[in-house]
Amino acid sequence: MADVNDPLVLDLVEWVAREPRSYSEVMETWRTSCPRLSIWEDAVDRGYVARTQAPGCSVMVAATALGQRFLLENARRHVA
């Protein structure tokens, strides 16, 4: 059975996959105090997104290879 948060996890991974985002931007946009909406935590726990830090740069978040596969397996069709 699919997790009820899967559509929102997919939204997060799609959003991050478009371009690496700063950790602060991701937290501002996706953090929630609702324990039933643990979208960020779900994406990290499943290995779909990861934090990285280059010397002298802020912490960034990007989609992982597993996250890219999750996107491919759950491709959405656009209705015109």
Coordinates of all heavy atoms in Angstrom, one line a residue:
M1 N 0.8 -1.2 0.0 CA 0.0 0.0 0.0 C 0.9 1.2 0.0 O 1.8 1.3 0.7 CB -0.9 0.0 1.2 CG -1.8 1.2 1.3 SD -3.1 0.9 2.6 CE -2.8 2.3 3.6
A2 N 0.6 2.2 -0.8 CA 1.3 3.4 -0.9 C 1.1 4.3 0.3 O 0.0 4.3 0.9 CB 0.9 4.2 -2.2
D3 N 2.1 5.0 0.7 CA 2.0 6.0 1.8 C 1.1 7.1 1.4 O 1.2 7.6 0.2 CB 3.4 6.4 2.2 CG 3.4 7.2 3.5 OD1 2.7 8.3 3.5 OD2 4.1 6.9 4.4
V4 N 0.3 7.7 2.3 CA -0.6 8.8 1.9 C 0.2 10.0 1.6 O -0.3 10.9 0.9 CB -1.6 9.1 3.0 CG1 -2.6 7.9 3.2 CG2 -1.0 9.4 4.3
N5 N 1.5 10.1 2.1 CA 2.3 11.3 1.8 C 3.0 11.2 0.5 O 3.7 12.1 0.0 CB 3.4 11.4 2.9 CG 2.8 11.9 4.2 OD1 1.7 12.5 4.2 ND2 3.5 11.8 5.3
D6 N 2.9 10.0 -0.2 CA 3.7 9.9 -1.5 C 3.5 11.0 -2.5 O 4.4 11.4 -3.1 CB 3.3 8.5 -2.1 CG 4.1 7.4 -1.5 OD1 5.0 7.6 -0.6 OD2 3.9 6.2 -1.8
P7 N 2.2 11.5 -2.8 CA 2.1 12.5 -3.7 C 2.8 13.8 -3.3 O 3.4 14.5 -4.2 CB 0.6 12.8 -3.8 CG 0.0 11.5 -3.4 CD 0.9 10.9 -2.3
L8 N 2.9 14.1 -2.0 CA 3.6 15.3 -1.6 C 5.1 15.1 -1.6 O 5.9 16.0 -1.9 CB 3.1 15.7 -0.2 CG 1.7 16.3 -0.1 CD1 1.3 16.5 1.3 CD2 1.6 17.6 -0.9
V9 N 5.5 13.9 -1.3 CA 7.0 13.5 -1.4 C 7.4 13.7 -2.9 O 8.4 14.2 -3.2 CB 7.3 12.1 -0.9 CG1 8.7 11.7 -1.2 CG2 7.0 12.0 0.6
L10 N 6.6 13.2 -3.8 CA 6.8 13.3 -5.2 C 6.9 14.8 -5.6 O 7.9 15.2 -6.3 CB 5.8 12.6 -6.0 CG 5.9 12.6 -7.5 CD1 7.3 12.0 -8.0 CD2 4.8 11.9 -8.2
D11 N 6.0 15.6 -5.1 CA 6.1 17.1 -5.3 C 7.4 17.7 -4.9 O 8.1 18.5 -5.6 CB 5.0 17.8 -4.7 CG 3.6 17.6 -5.3 OD1 3.6 17.1 -6.5 OD2 2.6 17.9 -4.7
L12 N 7.8 17.3 -3.7 CA 9.1 17.8 -3.1 C 10.3 17.4 -4.0 O 11.1 18.2 -4.3 CB 9.3 17.3 -1.7 CG 10.7 17.6 -1.1 CD1 11.0 19.0 -1.0 CD2 10.8 16.9 0.3
V13 N 10.4 16.1 -4.3 CA 11.5 15.6 -5.1 C 11.5 16.3 -6.5 O 12.5 16.7 -7.0 CB 11.5 14.1 -5.2 CG1 12.6 13.6 -6.1 CG2 11.5 13.4 -3.9
E14 N 10.3 16.5 -7.1 CA 10.3 17.2 -8.4 C 10.8 18.6 -8.3 O 11.5 19.1 -9.1 CB 8.8 17.2 -8.9 CG 8.3 15.9 -9.5 CD 6.9 16.0 -10.0 OE1 6.1 16.7 -9.4 OE2 6.6 15.3 -11.0
W15 N 10.4 19.3 -7.2 CA 10.8 20.7 -7.0 C 12.3 20.8 -6.8 O 12.9 21.6 -7.4 CB 10.0 21.2 -5.8 CG 10.2 22.6 -5.4 CD1 9.8 23.7 -6.1 CD2 10.9 23.1 -4.3 NE1 10.2 24.8 -5.5 CE2 10.9 24.5 -4.3 CE3 11.6 22.5 -3.2 CZ2 11.5 25.3 -3.4 CZ3 12.2 23.3 -2.3 CH2 12.1 24.6 -2.3
V16 N 12.8 19.9 -6.0 CA 14.3 19.9 -5.8 C 15.1 19.5 -7.1 O 16.1 20.0 -7.3 CB 14.7 19.0 -4.6 CG1 16.2 18.8 -4.5 CG2 14.1 19.6 -3.3
A17 N 14.5 18.5 -7.8 CA 15.2 18.0 -9.0 C 15.3 19.1 -10.1 O 16.2 19.0 -10.9 CB 14.5 16.8 -9.6
R18 N 14.4 20.1 -10.1 CA 14.5 21.1 -11.1 C 15.8 21.9 -11.0 O 16.3 22.3 -12.0 CB 13.3 22.1 -11.0 CG 12.0 21.5 -11.6 CD 10.9 22.6 -11.6 NE 9.7 21.9 -11.3 CZ 8.9 22.2 -10.3 NH1 9.2 23.3 -9.5 NH2 7.9 21.5 -10.0
E19 N 16.2 22.1 -9.8 CA 17.5 22.8 -9.5 C 17.8 22.6 -8.0 O 16.9 22.5 -7.2 CB 17.4 24.3 -9.8 CG 16.4 25.1 -9.0 CD 16.3 26.5 -9.4 OE1 15.5 26.8 -10.3 OE2 16.9 27.4 -8.7
P20 N 19.1 22.5 -7.7 CA 19.5 22.4 -6.3 C 18.9 23.6 -5.5 O 19.0 24.7 -6.0 CB 21.0 22.3 -6.3 CG 21.3 21.8 -7.7 CD 20.3 22.4 -8.6
R21 N 18.4 23.3 -4.4 CA 17.8 24.4 -3.5 C 18.7 24.5 -2.2 O 19.2 23.5 -1.8 CB 16.4 24.0 -3.1 CG 15.5 23.7 -4.3 CD 15.1 24.8 -5.1 NE 14.2 24.4 -6.2 CZ 13.4 25.2 -6.8 NH1 13.4 26.5 -6.5 NH2 12.6 24.7 -7.8
S22 N 18.7 25.7 -1.7 CA 19.4 25.8 -0.4 C 18.6 25.1 0.7 O 17.3 25.0 0.6 CB 19.6 27.3 -0.1 OG 18.4 27.9 0.3
Y23 N 19.3 24.6 1.7 CA 18.6 23.9 2.8 C 17.6 24.9 3.4 O 16.4 24.5 3.7 CB 19.6 23.4 3.8 CG 19.0 22.8 5.0 CD1 18.5 21.5 4.9 CD2 18.9 23.4 6.2 CE1 17.9 20.8 6.0 CE2 18.4 22.8 7.3 CZ 17.9 21.5 7.2 OH 17.3 20.9 8.3
S24 N 17.9 26.1 3.6 CA 17.0 27.1 4.2 C 15.8 27.3 3.4 O 14.7 27.4 3.9 CB 17.7 28.4 4.5 OG 18.2 29.0 3.3
E25 N 15.9 27.3 2.1 CA 14.7 27.5 1.2 C 13.8 26.2 1.3 O 12.6 26.4 1.4 CB 15.2 27.7 -0.3 CG 14.0 27.8 -1.2 CD 14.5 27.9 -2.7 OE1 15.7 27.7 -3.0 OE2 13.6 28.2 -3.5
V26 N 14.4 25.1 1.3 CA 13.7 23.8 1.5 C 12.9 23.8 2.8 O 11.7 23.5 2.8 CB 14.6 22.6 1.3 CG1 13.8 21.3 1.6 CG2 15.2 22.5 -0.1
M27 N 13.6 24.2 3.9 CA 13.0 24.2 5.2 C 11.8 25.2 5.2 O 10.8 24.9 5.8 CB 14.0 24.4 6.3 CG 14.9 23.3 6.5 SD 14.1 21.8 7.1 CE 13.8 20.9 5.6
E28 N 12.1 26.4 4.7 CA 11.0 27.4 4.7 C 9.8 27.0 3.9 O 8.7 27.2 4.3 CB 11.6 28.7 4.1 CG 10.6 29.8 4.1 CD 11.3 31.1 3.5 OE1 12.4 31.4 3.8 OE2 10.5 31.8 2.7
T29 N 10.0 26.2 2.8 CA 8.9 25.8 2.0 C 8.2 24.6 2.4 O 7.0 24.4 2.3 CB 9.4 25.7 0.5 OG1 10.1 26.9 0.1 CG2 8.3 25.4 -0.4
W30 N 9.0 23.6 2.9 CA 8.4 22.3 3.2 C 8.3 21.8 4.6 O 7.7 20.8 4.9 CB 9.3 21.2 2.4 CG 9.0 21.3 0.9 CD1 9.7 22.0 0.0 CD2 7.9 20.7 0.2 NE1 9.2 21.9 -1.2 CE2 8.1 21.1 -1.1 CE3 6.9 19.9 0.6 CZ2 7.2 20.6 -2.1 CZ3 6.0 19.4 -0.4 CH2 6.2 19.8 -1.7
R31 N 8.9 22.5 5.5 CA 8.8 22.1 6.9 C 7.4 22.3 7.4 O 6.7 23.3 7.1 CB 9.8 22.9 7.8 CG 9.8 22.4 9.2 CD 10.8 23.1 10.1 NE 10.9 24.5 9.8 CZ 12.0 25.2 10.0 NH1 13.1 24.6 10.4 NH2 12.0 26.5 9.7
T32 N 7.0 21.4 8.3 CA 5.6 21.5 8.9 C 5.7 21.0 10.3 O 6.6 20.2 10.6 CB 4.6 20.6 8.1 OG1 3.4 20.7 8.7 CG2 5.0 19.2 8.0
S33 N 4.8 21.5 11.1 CA 4.8 21.0 12.5 C 3.8 19.9 12.7 O 3.6 19.4 13.7 CB 4.4 22.2 13.4 OG 3.1 22.7 13.0
C34 N 3.1 19.5 11.6 CA 2.1 18.4 11.6 C 2.8 17.1 11.5 O 3.5 16.8 10.5 CB 1.1 18.6 10.5 SG -0.1 17.3 10.5
P35 N 2.7 16.2 12.5 CA 3.4 14.9 12.5 C 2.9 14.0 11.4 O 3.6 13.1 11.0 CB 3.1 14.3 13.9 CG 2.0 15.1 14.4 CD 2.0 16.4 13.8
R36 N 1.8 14.3 10.8 CA 1.2 13.4 9.7 C 1.7 13.9 8.4 O 1.5 13.2 7.4 CB -0.3 13.5 9.8 CG -0.8 12.7 11.0 CD -2.3 12.7 10.9 NE -2.8 12.0 12.1 CZ -4.0 11.7 12.3 NH1 -4.9 12.0 11.4 NH2 -4.4 11.1 13.4
L37 N 2.4 15.1 8.3 CA 2.9 15.6 7.1 C 4.4 15.7 7.2 O 4.9 16.8 7.1 CB 2.2 16.9 6.7 CG 0.7 16.9 6.4 CD1 0.2 18.3 6.2 CD2 0.5 16.0 5.1
S38 N 5.1 14.6 7.3 CA 6.5 14.6 7.5 C 7.2 14.5 6.1 O 8.0 13.6 5.9 CB 6.9 13.5 8.4 OG 6.4 12.3 7.9
I39 N 6.8 15.4 5.2 CA 7.3 15.2 3.8 C 8.8 15.3 3.7 O 9.4 14.4 3.0 CB 6.6 16.3 2.9 CG1 5.1 16.3 3.1 CG2 7.0 16.1 1.4 CD1 4.4 14.9 3.0
W40 N 9.4 16.3 4.2 CA 10.9 16.4 4.2 C 11.5 15.2 4.8 O 12.4 14.6 4.2 CB 11.3 17.7 4.9 CG 12.7 17.7 5.3 CD1 13.3 17.6 6.5 CD2 13.9 17.8 4.4 NE1 14.6 17.6 6.4 CE2 15.0 17.8 5.1 CE3 14.0 18.0 3.0 CZ2 16.3 17.9 4.6 CZ3 15.2 18.1 2.4 CH2 16.4 18.0 3.2
E41 N 11.1 14.8 6.0 CA 11.7 13.6 6.6 C 11.5 12.3 5.8 O 12.4 11.5 5.7 CB 11.1 13.4 8.0 CG 11.5 14.5 9.0 CD 10.6 15.8 8.9 OE1 9.7 15.8 8.1 OE2 10.8 16.7 9.7
D42 N 10.3 12.2 5.2 CA 10.0 11.0 4.4 C 11.0 11.0 3.2 O 11.5 9.9 2.9 CB 8.6 11.0 3.9 CG 7.6 10.7 5.0 OD1 8.0 10.4 6.1 OD2 6.4 10.9 4.7
A43 N 11.2 12.1 2.5 CA 12.0 12.2 1.3 C 13.5 11.8 1.7 O 14.2 11.1 1.0 CB 11.9 13.5 0.7
V44 N 14.0 12.4 2.8 CA 15.3 12.1 3.3 C 15.5 10.7 3.7 O 16.4 10.0 3.3 CB 15.7 13.1 4.4 CG1 17.0 12.7 5.1 CG2 15.8 14.5 3.9
D45 N 14.5 10.2 4.5 CA 14.6 8.8 5.0 C 14.6 7.8 3.9 O 15.3 6.7 3.9 CB 13.5 8.5 5.9 CG 13.6 9.2 7.3 OD1 14.6 9.7 7.6 OD2 12.6 9.2 8.0
R46 N 13.9 8.1 2.8 CA 13.8 7.2 1.6 C 15.0 7.3 0.7 O 15.2 6.6 -0.3 CB 12.6 7.4 0.9 CG 11.3 7.1 1.6 CD 10.1 7.4 0.8 NE 8.9 7.3 1.6 CZ 7.7 7.6 1.2 NH1 7.5 7.9 -0.1 NH2 6.6 7.5 1.9
G47 N 15.9 8.3 1.0 CA 17.0 8.5 0.1 C 16.8 9.3 -1.2 O 17.6 9.2 -2.1
Y48 N 15.6 10.0 -1.3 CA 15.3 10.7 -2.5 C 16.0 12.0 -2.6 O 16.1 12.5 -3.8 CB 13.8 10.9 -2.6 CG 13.0 9.6 -2.6 CD1 11.6 9.6 -2.3 CD2 13.5 8.4 -3.1 CE1 10.8 8.5 -2.3 CE2 12.7 7.3 -3.2 CZ 11.4 7.3 -2.8 OH 10.6 6.2 -2.8
V49 N 16.3 12.7 -1.5 CA 17.0 13.9 -1.5 C 18.1 13.9 -0.5 O 18.1 13.1 0.4 CB 16.1 15.1 -1.2 CG1 15.0 15.3 -2.3 CG2 15.5 15.0 0.2
A50 N 19.1 14.7 -0.7 CA 20.3 14.7 0.2 C 20.8 16.1 0.3 O 20.7 16.9 -0.6 CB 21.4 13.8 -0.3
R51 N 21.4 16.4 1.5 CA 22.1 17.7 1.8 C 23.5 17.5 1.4 O 24.1 16.5 1.6 CB 22.0 18.0 3.2 CG 20.6 18.3 3.7 CD 20.5 18.4 5.2 NE 20.7 17.1 5.8 CZ 19.9 16.6 6.7 NH1 18.9 17.3 7.2 NH2 20.0 15.3 7.1
T52 N 24.1 18.6 0.8 CA 25.5 18.6 0.4 C 26.0 20.0 0.8 O 25.2 21.0 0.9 CB 25.7 18.4 -1.1 OG1 25.0 19.4 -1.8 CG2 25.2 17.0 -1.5
Q53 N 27.3 20.1 1.0 CA 27.9 21.4 1.3 C 29.3 21.4 0.7 O 30.1 20.6 1.0 CB 28.0 21.6 2.8 CG 28.5 23.0 3.1 CD 28.3 23.4 4.5 OE1 27.9 22.6 5.4 NE2 28.6 24.7 4.8
A54 N 29.5 22.4 -0.1 CA 30.8 22.7 -0.7 C 31.5 23.7 0.2 O 30.8 24.5 0.8 CB 30.6 23.2 -2.1
P55 N 32.8 23.7 0.3 CA 33.5 24.7 1.1 C 33.1 26.1 0.7 O 33.1 26.5 -0.4 CB 35.0 24.4 0.8 CG 35.0 23.0 0.3 CD 33.7 22.8 -0.4
G56 N 32.8 26.9 1.7 CA 32.4 28.3 1.6 C 31.0 28.5 1.0 O 30.6 29.6 0.7
C57 N 30.2 27.5 0.9 CA 28.9 27.6 0.4 C 27.8 27.2 1.4 O 28.2 26.5 2.4 CB 28.7 26.7 -0.9 SG 29.7 27.2 -2.2
S58 N 26.6 27.6 1.2 CA 25.6 27.1 2.1 C 25.2 25.7 1.9 O 25.6 25.1 0.8 CB 24.3 28.0 2.0 OG 23.8 27.9 0.7
V59 N 24.5 25.1 2.8 CA 24.1 23.7 2.6 C 23.0 23.7 1.5 O 22.1 24.5 1.5 CB 23.5 23.1 3.9 CG1 22.9 21.8 3.7 CG2 24.6 23.1 5.0
M60 N 23.2 22.8 0.6 CA 22.2 22.7 -0.6 C 21.5 21.3 -0.5 O 22.0 20.4 0.1 CB 23.0 22.8 -1.9 CG 23.7 24.1 -2.1 SD 22.7 25.5 -2.1 CE 21.9 25.3 -3.7
V61 N 20.4 21.2 -1.1 CA 19.6 20.0 -1.2 C 19.4 19.7 -2.7 O 19.0 20.5 -3.5 CB 18.2 20.2 -0.5 CG1 17.4 18.9 -0.6 CG2 18.4 20.5 1.0
A62 N 19.6 18.4 -3.0 CA 19.5 18.0 -4.4 C 18.8 16.6 -4.4 O 18.9 15.9 -3.5 CB 20.8 17.9 -5.1
A63 N 18.2 16.3 -5.5 CA 17.6 14.9 -5.7 C 18.8 14.0 -5.9 O 19.7 14.3 -6.6 CB 16.7 14.9 -6.9
T64 N 18.6 12.8 -5.3 CA 19.6 11.7 -5.5 C 19.3 10.9 -6.7 O 18.2 11.1 -7.3 CB 19.6 10.8 -4.2 OG1 18.4 10.2 -4.2 CG2 19.9 11.6 -3.0
A65 N 20.1 9.9 -7.0 CA 19.8 9.0 -8.1 C 18.6 8.2 -7.8 O 17.7 8.0 -8.7 CB 21.0 8.0 -8.3
L66 N 18.4 7.8 -6.5 CA 17.2 7.1 -6.1 C 16.0 8.0 -6.3 O 14.9 7.6 -6.7 CB 17.3 6.7 -4.7 CG 16.3 5.7 -4.1 CD1 16.2 4.4 -5.0 CD2 16.6 5.4 -2.7
G67 N 16.1 9.3 -6.0 CA 15.0 10.3 -6.2 C 14.7 10.5 -7.6 O 13.5 10.5 -8.0
Q68 N 15.7 10.5 -8.5 CA 15.5 10.6 -9.9 C 14.7 9.3 -10.4 O 13.8 9.5 -11.2 CB 16.8 10.7 -10.7 CG 17.5 12.0 -10.4 CD 16.9 13.2 -11.0 OE1 16.0 13.1 -11.8 NE2 17.3 14.4 -10.5
R69 N 15.0 8.2 -9.9 CA 14.3 7.0 -10.3 C 12.9 7.0 -9.8 O 11.9 6.6 -10.5 CB 15.0 5.7 -9.7 CG 14.4 4.4 -10.2 CD 15.2 3.2 -10.0 NE 15.5 3.1 -8.5 CZ 16.4 2.3 -8.0 NH1 17.1 1.6 -8.7 NH2 16.5 2.3 -6.7
F70 N 12.7 7.5 -8.6 CA 11.3 7.7 -8.0 C 10.5 8.6 -9.0 O 9.3 8.3 -9.2 CB 11.4 8.3 -6.6 CG 10.1 8.6 -5.9 CD1 9.2 7.6 -5.7 CD2 9.8 9.9 -5.6 CE1 8.0 7.9 -5.0 CE2 8.6 10.2 -4.9 CZ 7.7 9.2 -4.7
L71 N 11.1 9.7 -9.5 CA 10.4 10.5 -10.4 C 10.1 9.8 -11.7 O 8.9 9.9 -12.2 CB 11.3 11.8 -10.7 CG 11.5 12.8 -9.6 CD1 12.5 13.9 -10.1 CD2 10.2 13.3 -9.1
L72 N 11.0 9.0 -12.2 CA 10.7 8.3 -13.5 C 9.6 7.3 -13.3 O 8.8 7.1 -14.2 CB 12.0 7.6 -14.0 CG 13.1 8.5 -14.5 CD1 14.3 7.8 -14.8 CD2 12.6 9.2 -15.8
E73 N 9.7 6.6 -12.2 CA 8.6 5.6 -11.9 C 7.3 6.1 -11.6 O 6.3 5.4 -11.8 CB 9.1 4.7 -10.7 CG 10.3 3.8 -11.0 CD 10.8 3.2 -9.7 OE1 10.3 3.5 -8.6 OE2 11.7 2.4 -9.8
N74 N 7.2 7.4 -11.3 CA 5.9 8.1 -11.0 C 5.7 9.3 -11.9 O 5.0 10.2 -11.4 CB 5.9 8.5 -9.5 CG 6.0 7.3 -8.6 OD1 4.9 6.7 -8.3 ND2 7.1 7.0 -8.1
A75 N 6.1 9.2 -13.1 CA 5.9 10.3 -14.0 C 4.5 10.7 -14.1 O 3.6 9.8 -14.2 CB 6.5 9.9 -15.4
R76 N 4.3 11.9 -14.1 CA 2.9 12.4 -14.3 C 2.7 12.8 -15.7 O 3.5 13.4 -16.4 CB 2.7 13.7 -13.4 CG 2.8 13.3 -11.9 CD 2.6 14.5 -11.1 NE 2.7 14.1 -9.7 CZ 2.8 14.9 -8.7 NH1 2.9 16.2 -8.9 NH2 2.9 14.5 -7.4
R77 N 1.5 12.6 -16.1 CA 1.1 13.0 -17.5 C 0.4 14.3 -17.4 O -0.6 14.4 -16.6 CB 0.2 11.9 -18.1 CG 1.0 10.6 -18.3 CD 0.1 9.6 -18.9 NE 0.9 8.3 -18.9 CZ 0.7 7.3 -19.7 NH1 -0.2 7.4 -20.5 NH2 1.5 6.3 -19.6
H78 N 0.8 15.2 -18.3 CA 0.1 16.5 -18.3 C -1.1 16.5 -19.2 O -1.0 16.0 -20.3 CB 1.1 17.6 -18.7 CG 2.3 17.7 -17.8 ND1 2.2 18.3 -16.6 CD2 3.5 17.3 -17.9 CE1 3.3 18.3 -16.0 NE2 4.2 17.6 -16.7
V79 N -2.2 17.0 -18.7 CA -3.4 17.0 -19.5 C -3.5 18.4 -20.2 O -3.4 19.4 -19.5 CB -4.7 16.8 -18.6 CG1 -5.9 16.9 -19.4 CG2 -4.5 15.4 -17.9
A80 N -3.6 18.4 -21.4 CA -3.7 19.7 -22.2 C -5.0 20.3 -22.1 O -6.0 19.7 -22.0 CB -3.2 19.5 -23.6

